[in-house]
Amino acid sequence: MFDLNSLLRDNIKRLTPYSSARDEFKGEASVFLDANENSFGSPLPVNYHRYPDPLQWKVKYRLAEIKGVPPQNIFLGNGSDEAIDILYRAFCRPGIDNVILCPPTYGMYEVSANINDITIRKASLTEDFQLDLEAIESAIDENTKLIFICSPNNPTANAIDKEAIEMVLNNFDGIVVVDEAYINFSRHKSFIQELTEYPNLVILQTLSKAWGLAALRMGMAFASEDIINIFNKIKPPYNINQASQELALEALNNVEQVNGWIKETVAEREKLVEALVKLPIVEKVYPSDANFVLVKTTDARGIYNILTSQGIIVRDRSKVELCAGSLRITIGTPEENVTLLQALQNIAQ
Ligand SMILES: *Cc1c(COP(=O)(O)O)cnc(C)c1O
Protein backbone atom coordinates (compact mmCIF):
# COMPACT_ATOMS: atom_id res chain seq x y z
CA MET A 1 0.00 0.00 0.00
CA PHE A 2 1.29 3.43 -0.94
CA ASP A 3 1.37 5.70 2.10
CA LEU A 4 2.93 9.08 1.42
CA ASN A 5 3.31 9.96 5.09
CA SER A 6 5.29 6.84 5.95
CA LEU A 7 7.52 7.40 2.92
CA LEU A 8 8.47 10.91 4.00
CA ARG A 9 11.65 11.48 5.99
CA ASP A 10 10.96 12.35 9.64
CA ASN A 11 12.89 15.62 9.50
CA ILE A 12 10.74 16.75 6.57
CA LYS A 13 7.55 15.64 8.32
CA ARG A 14 8.54 17.78 11.31
CA LEU A 15 9.89 20.70 9.25
CA THR A 16 8.44 24.16 9.74
CA PRO A 17 9.08 25.79 6.37
CA TYR A 18 10.56 29.26 6.01
CA SER A 19 7.85 31.86 6.06
CA SER A 20 8.69 34.76 3.77
CA ALA A 21 7.33 38.31 3.80
CA ARG A 22 5.40 37.36 0.65
CA ASP A 23 3.83 34.40 2.48
CA GLU A 24 2.76 36.41 5.50
CA PHE A 25 1.07 39.31 3.73
CA LYS A 26 -0.84 38.58 0.54
CA GLY A 27 -3.45 41.37 0.25
CA GLU A 28 -3.42 44.70 -1.60
CA ALA A 29 -1.32 47.52 -0.15
CA SER A 30 0.57 50.61 -1.32
CA VAL A 31 3.48 50.81 1.12
CA PHE A 32 5.64 47.70 1.33
CA LEU A 33 8.07 47.93 4.22
CA ASP A 34 8.08 44.26 5.16
CA ALA A 35 10.91 42.66 3.17
CA ASN A 36 13.93 44.97 3.44
CA GLU A 37 13.93 45.52 -0.31
CA ASN A 38 15.32 48.70 -1.90
CA SER A 39 12.24 50.95 -1.83
CA PHE A 40 13.66 53.27 -4.55
CA GLY A 41 13.81 50.73 -7.37
CA SER A 42 16.41 48.88 -9.46
CA PRO A 43 19.36 50.32 -11.44
CA LEU A 44 17.78 48.86 -14.57
CA PRO A 45 15.21 49.97 -17.17
CA VAL A 46 12.77 47.54 -15.50
CA ASN A 47 12.25 47.27 -11.76
CA TYR A 48 13.19 44.02 -10.06
CA HIS A 49 13.31 45.39 -6.51
CA ARG A 50 10.42 43.30 -5.14
CA TYR A 51 10.75 39.62 -4.25
CA PRO A 52 8.90 37.44 -6.77
CA ASP A 53 5.84 35.26 -6.17
CA PRO A 54 7.25 32.24 -4.26
CA LEU A 55 4.71 29.88 -5.85
CA GLN A 56 4.77 31.38 -9.38
CA TRP A 57 0.96 31.26 -9.74
CA LYS A 58 0.74 33.19 -13.02
CA VAL A 59 3.08 30.76 -14.77
CA LYS A 60 1.31 27.79 -13.20
CA TYR A 61 -2.15 28.95 -14.30
CA ARG A 62 -0.92 29.25 -17.87
CA LEU A 63 0.80 25.85 -17.71
CA ALA A 64 -2.38 24.39 -16.24
CA GLU A 65 -4.29 25.47 -19.37
CA ILE A 66 -1.65 24.02 -21.69
CA LYS A 67 -1.15 20.74 -19.83
CA GLY A 68 -4.74 20.12 -18.70
CA VAL A 69 -3.81 19.72 -15.05
CA PRO A 70 -4.81 21.92 -12.06
CA PRO A 71 -2.18 24.50 -10.99
CA GLN A 72 -2.05 22.94 -7.50
CA ASN A 73 -0.57 19.83 -9.10
CA ILE A 74 2.40 21.73 -10.55
CA PHE A 75 5.81 22.46 -9.02
CA LEU A 76 8.29 24.75 -10.76
CA GLY A 77 12.00 24.27 -10.18
CA ASN A 78 15.23 25.90 -11.21
CA GLY A 79 15.52 23.26 -13.96
CA SER A 80 14.24 19.69 -13.56
CA ASP A 81 17.44 19.11 -11.66
CA GLU A 82 15.98 20.99 -8.67
CA ALA A 83 12.96 18.67 -8.66
CA ILE A 84 15.25 15.62 -8.80
CA ASP A 85 17.25 16.91 -5.82
CA ILE A 86 14.09 17.67 -3.82
CA LEU A 87 12.80 14.12 -4.42
CA TYR A 88 15.95 12.75 -2.78
CA ARG A 89 15.78 15.20 0.10
CA ALA A 90 12.10 14.51 0.78
CA PHE A 91 12.08 10.72 0.67
CA CYS A 92 15.58 9.26 0.97
CA ARG A 93 17.48 8.97 4.24
CA PRO A 94 21.21 9.38 3.54
CA GLY A 95 23.18 6.19 4.15
CA ILE A 96 20.00 4.14 4.63
CA ASP A 97 17.61 4.36 1.69
CA ASN A 98 18.12 3.42 -1.95
CA VAL A 99 16.73 4.28 -5.38
CA ILE A 100 16.48 2.28 -8.59
CA LEU A 101 17.92 3.62 -11.83
CA CYS A 102 17.58 1.97 -15.25
CA PRO A 103 20.79 2.71 -17.17
CA PRO A 104 21.74 3.82 -19.69
CA THR A 105 19.84 6.93 -18.66
CA TYR A 106 20.08 10.59 -17.67
CA GLY A 107 23.19 11.19 -15.55
CA MET A 108 21.69 13.60 -13.01
CA TYR A 109 19.72 10.88 -11.20
CA GLU A 110 23.00 9.26 -10.20
CA VAL A 111 24.87 12.49 -9.43
CA SER A 112 22.04 13.78 -7.28
CA ALA A 113 21.88 10.43 -5.45
CA ASN A 114 25.61 10.64 -4.76
CA ILE A 115 25.34 14.23 -3.51
CA ASN A 116 22.60 13.14 -1.14
CA ASP A 117 24.47 9.97 -0.09
CA ILE A 118 21.73 7.66 -1.35
CA THR A 119 22.54 4.11 -2.53
CA ILE A 120 21.87 3.40 -6.19
CA ARG A 121 20.56 0.02 -7.35
CA LYS A 122 20.78 -0.52 -11.06
CA ALA A 123 18.26 -2.42 -13.14
CA SER A 124 19.71 -1.98 -16.62
CA LEU A 125 17.45 -1.65 -19.63
CA THR A 126 17.11 -4.65 -21.94
CA GLU A 127 18.97 -4.83 -25.28
CA ASP A 128 16.08 -3.00 -26.95
CA PHE A 129 16.22 -0.31 -24.25
CA GLN A 130 13.03 -1.30 -22.44
CA LEU A 131 12.47 -1.83 -18.70
CA ASP A 132 13.68 -5.13 -17.28
CA LEU A 133 10.74 -5.65 -14.91
CA GLU A 134 12.28 -8.71 -13.25
CA ALA A 135 15.51 -6.86 -12.54
CA ILE A 136 13.51 -3.96 -11.09
CA GLU A 137 11.45 -6.29 -8.94
CA SER A 138 14.48 -8.03 -7.50
CA ALA A 139 16.24 -4.71 -6.86
CA ILE A 140 13.40 -3.42 -4.66
CA ASP A 141 13.74 -3.82 -0.91
CA GLU A 142 12.06 -2.18 2.10
CA ASN A 143 14.36 0.86 1.83
CA THR A 144 13.72 1.53 -1.87
CA LYS A 145 12.03 4.93 -2.08
CA LEU A 146 12.25 6.06 -5.71
CA ILE A 147 12.36 4.48 -9.16
CA PHE A 148 13.43 6.77 -12.02
CA ILE A 149 12.06 6.02 -15.50
CA CYS A 150 13.05 8.33 -18.33
CA SER A 151 10.67 8.22 -21.31
CA PRO A 152 11.63 9.04 -24.01
CA ASN A 153 14.96 7.99 -22.55
CA ASN A 154 18.19 9.95 -22.74
CA PRO A 155 20.58 8.87 -24.37
CA THR A 156 18.78 6.01 -26.14
CA ALA A 157 15.97 8.25 -27.55
CA ASN A 158 13.22 5.61 -27.39
CA ALA A 159 9.99 5.77 -25.39
CA ILE A 160 9.42 3.16 -22.67
CA ASP A 161 6.38 0.90 -23.10
CA LYS A 162 3.37 2.32 -21.30
CA GLU A 163 2.28 -1.06 -19.93
CA ALA A 164 5.68 -1.61 -18.32
CA ILE A 165 5.55 1.80 -16.60
CA GLU A 166 2.03 1.04 -15.39
CA MET A 167 3.24 -2.29 -14.06
CA VAL A 168 5.83 -0.47 -11.93
CA LEU A 169 3.29 2.16 -10.82
CA ASN A 170 0.83 -0.56 -9.75
CA ASN A 171 3.32 -2.76 -7.92
CA PHE A 172 5.78 -0.40 -6.21
CA ASP A 173 4.78 1.36 -2.98
CA GLY A 174 7.39 4.09 -3.32
CA ILE A 175 7.50 7.02 -5.74
CA VAL A 176 7.78 6.36 -9.47
CA VAL A 177 9.38 9.29 -11.30
CA VAL A 178 8.62 9.44 -15.01
CA ASP A 179 10.93 11.96 -16.66
CA GLU A 180 9.25 13.30 -19.79
CA ALA A 181 11.83 15.92 -20.80
CA TYR A 182 11.38 14.87 -24.46
CA ILE A 183 7.65 14.10 -24.46
CA ASN A 184 6.86 16.83 -27.02
CA PHE A 185 8.73 14.90 -29.70
CA SER A 186 7.18 11.54 -28.88
CA ARG A 187 4.41 9.51 -30.51
CA HIS A 188 3.53 8.34 -27.01
CA LYS A 189 1.20 10.28 -24.73
CA SER A 190 2.27 11.97 -21.52
CA PHE A 191 1.39 10.30 -18.22
CA ILE A 192 -0.09 13.61 -16.98
CA GLN A 193 -3.68 12.45 -17.41
CA GLU A 194 -2.86 9.40 -15.27
CA LEU A 195 -1.98 11.51 -12.22
CA THR A 196 -5.44 11.07 -10.69
CA GLU A 197 -5.03 7.30 -10.91
CA TYR A 198 -1.56 6.95 -9.34
CA PRO A 199 -0.83 8.72 -6.02
CA ASN A 200 2.79 7.53 -6.31
CA LEU A 201 3.46 9.14 -9.72
CA VAL A 202 5.72 12.16 -10.21
CA ILE A 203 6.14 13.42 -13.77
CA LEU A 204 9.05 15.65 -14.72
CA GLN A 205 9.00 17.94 -17.73
CA THR A 206 11.09 20.98 -18.64
CA LEU A 207 11.09 24.18 -20.65
CA SER A 208 14.72 23.43 -21.64
CA LYS A 209 14.12 21.25 -24.70
CA ALA A 210 11.10 21.69 -27.03
CA TRP A 211 10.26 25.06 -25.45
CA GLY A 212 13.67 26.45 -26.32
CA LEU A 213 14.31 27.99 -22.88
CA ALA A 214 17.29 26.05 -21.54
CA ALA A 215 18.93 29.26 -20.33
CA LEU A 216 15.89 30.30 -18.24
CA ARG A 217 16.25 27.18 -16.07
CA MET A 218 12.67 26.12 -15.56
CA GLY A 219 11.65 22.55 -14.87
CA MET A 220 8.23 21.23 -13.90
CA ALA A 221 7.03 18.43 -11.69
CA PHE A 222 3.43 17.22 -11.86
CA ALA A 223 2.09 15.14 -8.97
CA SER A 224 -0.67 14.86 -6.36
CA GLU A 225 -1.33 18.01 -4.36
CA ASP A 226 0.12 16.28 -1.28
CA ILE A 227 3.43 15.62 -3.05
CA ILE A 228 3.54 19.14 -4.53
CA ASN A 229 3.00 20.58 -1.03
CA ILE A 230 6.03 18.62 0.18
CA PHE A 231 8.11 20.00 -2.70
CA ASN A 232 6.99 23.54 -1.82
CA LYS A 233 7.94 23.03 1.82
CA ILE A 234 11.50 22.03 0.90
CA LYS A 235 12.33 24.37 -1.99
CA PRO A 236 14.16 27.67 -1.40
CA PRO A 237 11.46 30.36 -0.92
CA TYR A 238 12.15 32.24 -4.15
CA ASN A 239 13.52 29.46 -6.36
CA ILE A 240 12.29 30.96 -9.64
CA ASN A 241 13.39 34.54 -10.19
CA GLN A 242 11.08 37.29 -11.45
CA ALA A 243 12.75 37.64 -14.86
CA SER A 244 12.38 33.91 -15.52
CA GLN A 245 8.73 33.95 -14.43
CA GLU A 246 7.93 36.87 -16.75
CA LEU A 247 9.81 35.44 -19.72
CA ALA A 248 8.31 31.97 -19.23
CA LEU A 249 4.82 33.45 -19.16
CA GLU A 250 5.51 35.34 -22.37
CA ALA A 251 6.94 32.21 -24.02
CA LEU A 252 3.98 30.10 -22.94
CA ASN A 253 1.77 32.36 -25.05
CA ASN A 254 3.70 31.28 -28.17
CA VAL A 255 2.56 27.67 -28.21
CA GLU A 256 2.01 27.79 -31.98
CA GLN A 257 5.62 28.64 -32.72
CA VAL A 258 6.85 25.85 -30.47
CA ASN A 259 4.46 23.33 -32.03
CA GLY A 260 5.76 24.38 -35.46
CA TRP A 261 9.34 23.72 -34.37
CA ILE A 262 8.38 20.34 -32.92
CA LYS A 263 6.85 19.29 -36.27
CA GLU A 264 9.90 20.53 -38.12
CA THR A 265 12.29 18.79 -35.72
CA VAL A 266 10.45 15.48 -36.12
CA ALA A 267 10.46 15.84 -39.93
CA GLU A 268 14.19 16.67 -39.87
CA ARG A 269 14.79 13.68 -37.60
CA GLU A 270 13.18 11.32 -40.08
CA LYS A 271 15.20 12.83 -42.95
CA LEU A 272 18.43 12.62 -41.00
CA VAL A 273 17.83 8.99 -40.01
CA GLU A 274 17.15 8.07 -43.62
CA ALA A 275 20.47 9.60 -44.69
CA LEU A 276 22.46 8.25 -41.72
CA VAL A 277 21.53 4.60 -42.28
CA LYS A 278 23.02 4.81 -45.80
CA LEU A 279 26.48 5.71 -44.48
CA PRO A 280 29.02 2.87 -44.28
CA ILE A 281 30.33 4.26 -40.95
CA VAL A 282 26.84 3.86 -39.44
CA GLU A 283 25.93 0.42 -38.11
CA LYS A 284 22.57 1.31 -36.67
CA VAL A 285 20.31 4.25 -35.89
CA TYR A 286 18.12 3.45 -32.91
CA PRO A 287 14.41 4.41 -33.07
CA SER A 288 13.86 7.94 -31.72
CA ASP A 289 10.92 9.58 -29.97
CA ALA A 290 13.08 12.58 -29.05
CA ASN A 291 14.91 15.52 -30.63
CA PHE A 292 18.09 13.48 -30.91
CA VAL A 293 19.19 10.14 -32.29
CA LEU A 294 21.54 7.51 -30.91
CA VAL A 295 23.75 6.28 -33.73
CA LYS A 296 25.92 3.19 -33.55
CA THR A 297 29.06 3.76 -35.63
CA THR A 298 32.18 1.85 -36.62
CA ASP A 299 34.45 4.23 -34.66
CA ALA A 300 32.67 6.67 -32.32
CA ARG A 301 35.76 8.37 -30.88
CA GLY A 302 37.42 8.81 -34.28
CA ILE A 303 34.28 10.28 -35.84
CA TYR A 304 33.73 12.49 -32.80
CA ASN A 305 37.26 13.87 -33.08
CA ILE A 306 36.99 14.64 -36.79
CA LEU A 307 33.61 16.34 -36.35
CA THR A 308 34.94 18.37 -33.43
CA SER A 309 37.93 19.54 -35.48
CA GLN A 310 35.39 20.91 -37.97
CA GLY A 311 33.45 22.73 -35.27
CA ILE A 312 30.60 20.20 -35.16
CA ILE A 313 29.98 18.92 -31.66
CA VAL A 314 28.01 15.76 -30.94
CA ARG A 315 27.95 13.68 -27.76
CA ASP A 316 30.20 10.64 -27.52
CA ARG A 317 28.22 8.01 -25.58
CA SER A 318 30.44 5.08 -26.58
CA LYS A 319 31.64 4.48 -23.01
CA VAL A 320 28.07 4.19 -21.73
CA GLU A 321 26.57 0.79 -20.90
CA LEU A 322 24.72 -0.78 -23.91
CA CYS A 323 25.84 2.16 -26.08
CA ALA A 324 29.23 0.92 -27.33
CA GLY A 325 30.24 2.72 -30.53
CA SER A 326 27.41 5.21 -30.22
CA LEU A 327 27.15 8.95 -30.73
CA ARG A 328 24.17 10.98 -29.56
CA ILE A 329 23.26 13.59 -32.13
CA THR A 330 20.78 16.42 -31.51
CA ILE A 331 18.52 17.33 -34.43
CA GLY A 332 19.62 20.74 -35.70
CA THR A 333 18.16 23.23 -38.15
CA PRO A 334 17.92 21.96 -41.77
CA GLU A 335 21.21 23.77 -42.55
CA GLU A 336 22.99 22.30 -39.55
CA ASN A 337 21.81 18.81 -40.43
CA VAL A 338 23.14 19.21 -44.00
CA THR A 339 26.49 20.37 -42.60
CA LEU A 340 26.63 17.35 -40.30
CA LEU A 341 25.71 14.92 -43.07
CA GLN A 342 28.30 16.34 -45.45
CA ALA A 343 30.96 15.99 -42.78
CA LEU A 344 29.94 12.39 -42.10
CA GLN A 345 29.87 11.58 -45.83
CA ASN A 346 33.41 12.92 -46.15
CA ILE A 347 34.55 10.72 -43.27
CA ALA A 348 32.86 7.72 -44.85
CA GLN A 349 34.79 8.11 -48.13
C1 LIG B 1 17.69 17.77 -20.56
C2 LIG B 1 17.01 16.86 -19.60
C3 LIG B 1 16.35 17.36 -18.48
C4 LIG B 1 16.23 18.84 -18.29
O1 LIG B 1 16.89 19.35 -17.24
P1 LIG B 1 16.70 20.90 -16.91
O2 LIG B 1 17.39 20.98 -15.60
O3 LIG B 1 15.22 21.16 -16.81
O4 LIG B 1 17.32 21.70 -17.99
C5 LIG B 1 15.71 16.49 -17.62
N1 LIG B 1 15.72 15.17 -17.86
C6 LIG B 1 16.33 14.65 -18.94
C7 LIG B 1 16.27 13.20 -19.19
C8 LIG B 1 17.01 15.48 -19.82
O5 LIG B 1 17.63 14.95 -20.89
Side-chain angles (χ1 to χ4, degrees):
M1 253 279 291
F2 175 74
D3 175 19
L4 185 60
N5 208 45
S6 70
L7 216 56
L8 207 53
R9 288 173 62 189
D10 284 331
N11 62 312
I12 301 299
K13 236 180 274 178
R14 285 192 307 265
L15 178 71
T16 306
Y18 179 74
S19 181
S20 70
R22 285 289 168 274
D23 290 320
E24 288 180 14
F25 177 80
K26 288 199 179 106
E28 294 287 314
S30 53
V31 183
F32 283 99
L33 304 176
D34 60 344
N36 301 344
E37 297 147 338
N38 181 338
S39 301
F40 295 90
S42 313
L44 286 172
V46 182
N47 273 330
Y48 287 104
H49 63 307
R50 298 297 181 195
Y51 279 100
D53 176 4
L55 292 173
Q56 313 99 15
W57 286 115
K58 282 189 181 158
V59 182
K60 286 181 187 171
Y61 272 93
R62 182 70 192 111
L63 274 172
E65 291 175 352
I66 295 172
K67 302 287 177 185
V69 64
Q72 300 82 350
N73 294 92
I74 306 175
F75 165 82
L76 294 180
N78 188 3
S80 312
D81 296 343
E82 183 174 20
I84 294 168
D85 180 62
I86 290 181
L87 281 161
Y88 283 108
R89 287 191 286 153
F91 299 110
C92 303
R93 293 166 297 175
I96 301 172
D97 289 330
N98 68 73
V99 299
I100 296 176
L101 307 185
C102 305
T105 193
Y106 185 47
M108 270 314 286
Y109 313 142
E110 178 157 0
V111 173
S112 201
N114 289 336
I115 292 169
N116 286 288
D117 192 19
I118 307 305
T119 305
I120 294 163
R121 297 182 158 207
K122 293 188 176 173
S124 299
L125 296 176
T126 59
E127 286 287 323
D128 57 351
F129 301 144
Q130 290 296 328
L131 296 181
D132 183 340
L133 290 174
E134 277 173 29
I136 292 175
E137 190 182 9
S138 54
I140 296 173
D141 72 4
E142 70 277 8
N143 290 329
T144 306
K145 296 300 167 71
L146 310 172
I147 300 178
F148 282 88
I149 299 171
C150 187
S151 180
N153 186 42
N154 180 4
T156 60
N158 63 300
I160 304 296
D161 291 339
K162 184 165 192 259
E163 293 71 30
I165 299 177
E166 284 171 343
M167 186 75 102
V168 178
L169 280 163
N170 281 317
N171 291 289
F172 176 54
D173 292 335
I175 304 270
V176 180
V177 185
V178 179
D179 187 341
E180 297 184 336
Y182 300 97
I183 193 68
N184 308 74
F185 305 101
S186 179
R187 287 156 280 219
H188 293 240
K189 269 176 58 187
S190 166
F191 263 81
I192 280 192
Q193 295 315 321
E194 255 85 340
L195 274 179
T196 45
E197 216 162 305
Y198 299 109
N200 58 338
L201 171 61
V202 173
I203 297 159
L204 302 180
Q205 291 188 7
T206 179
L207 296 186
S208 296
K209 306 286 158 61
W211 280 92
L213 298 169
L216 281 199
R217 308 306 305 131
M218 204 175 294
M220 305 163 255
F222 304 91
S224 73
E225 210 172 325
D226 287 342
I227 294 179
I228 296 300
N229 288 341
I230 293 165
F231 274 57
N232 287 337
K233 207 169 144 178
I234 297 175
K235 78 178 185 70
Y238 304 109
N239 62 325
I240 308 285
N241 70 67
Q242 179 68 21
S244 287
Q245 291 191 40
E246 285 169 3
L247 289 167
L249 197 57
E250 198 180 327
L252 290 170
N253 287 324
N254 289 328
V255 189
E256 313 267 280
Q257 180 162 35
V258 172
N259 284 339
W261 281 328
I262 292 166
K263 278 210 186 88
E264 208 175 340
T265 302
V266 170
E268 280 297 310
R269 179 182 79 200
E270 302 316 314
K271 259 170 56 186
L272 185 65
V273 170
E274 213 174 292
L276 285 171
V277 293
K278 292 189 183 128
L279 296 174
I281 53 170
V282 169
E283 290 181 0
K284 181 169 185 175
V285 182
Y286 294 94
S288 173
D289 264 287
N291 67 337
F292 60 89
V293 284
L294 187 71
V295 185
K296 186 164 194 203
T297 65
T298 49
D299 173 19
R301 197 65 209 173
I303 296 166
Y304 173 87
N305 286 336
I306 297 172
L307 289 177
T308 303
S309 73
Q310 296 173 27
I312 302 168
I313 316 300
V314 299
R315 198 86 191 265
D316 179 5
R317 299 280 79 181
S318 59
K319 297 286 175 292
V320 171
E321 172 176 1
L322 297 176
C323 297
S326 295
L327 298 172
R328 193 193 71 188
I329 305 177
T330 305
I331 309 303
T333 63
E335 298 72 34
E336 289 170 335
N337 300 333
V338 166
T339 306
L340 169 79
L341 271 174
Q342 275 166 355
L344 289 173
Q345 275 152 1
N346 289 338
I347 298 172
Q349 275 169 4

